[in-house]
Every structure is written in structure tokens, then in C-alpha cells.
Amino acid sequence: MKYLIVIMVVLFGAWLWRRNREDTGKALKAKDAQTSSSSTSTEAQLVVSCARCGVHVPQGEASKGTFGSYCSPAHRQAQEG
């Protein structure tokens, strides 16, 4: 009788363990799918260096001046003004 109880407890533990692994696997797959869809929607941007300090910034965030691109308006004013 005690062996039957031990076997039932072991089987119940194995069932719980497998159920949790399946739930975790589904959550990871959903997270991977979400990450891959968001990474494909972002486009690559050209990176330019600041004409004053040399820091690389995306072209969309750079402050454009007459002598080139700058990392901030303060560097643009200091270089050109």
C-alpha cells in the first residue's frame, strides 16, 4: 500500500513538472515571436559622427549644421558660433 502511495506522489510530481515546462515553453515562444516582430519593424539608421567630439549618433537624432552633423545643439553652436 505504501508503494502505491509513493508511486502516485512521484507520478503527480512528474505531471506538475511537465505541465509547468509546457507553460514556460509557450510563454517563451510568445515572447520570441513578439520580439522578432518588433525587431523587423524597426529600420536601420545611418550613424554619423559629431564634427566636434566624434561621438556617433543616429542621423535622425543628429543636429545638422553648416560644417557637418553634431551630437547636440550645444556642440553645433560651439563649433559654428
Side-chain angles (χ1 to χ4, degrees):
M1 183 69 176
K2 72 178 179 181
Y3 293 118
L4 181 61
I5 293 173
V6 169
I7 290 173
M8 289 181 72
V9 168
V10 168
L11 289 175
F12 182 71
W15 176 77
L16 282 176
W17 179 69
R18 286 191 57 159
R19 192 179 88 190
N20 287 338
R21 284 193 64 204
E22 289 173 0
D23 292 343
T24 305
K26 289 177 185 175
L28 287 175
K29 286 180 184 177
K31 185 178 179 182
D32 288 343
Q34 182 182 15
T35 303
S36 65
S37 67
S38 66
S39 65
T40 57
S41 65
T42 57
E43 297 179 14
Q45 290 187 4
L46 183 64
V47 177
V48 296
S49 63
C50 177
R52 180 168 175 87
C53 66
V55 170
H56 292 86
V57 294
Q59 189 175 19
E61 296 178 15
S63 178
K64 301 197 184 345
T66 56
F67 299 119
S69 298
Y70 300 94
C71 63
S72 67
H75 276 191
R76 182 176 44 107
Q77 277 184 334
Q79 189 75 15
E80 295 180 356

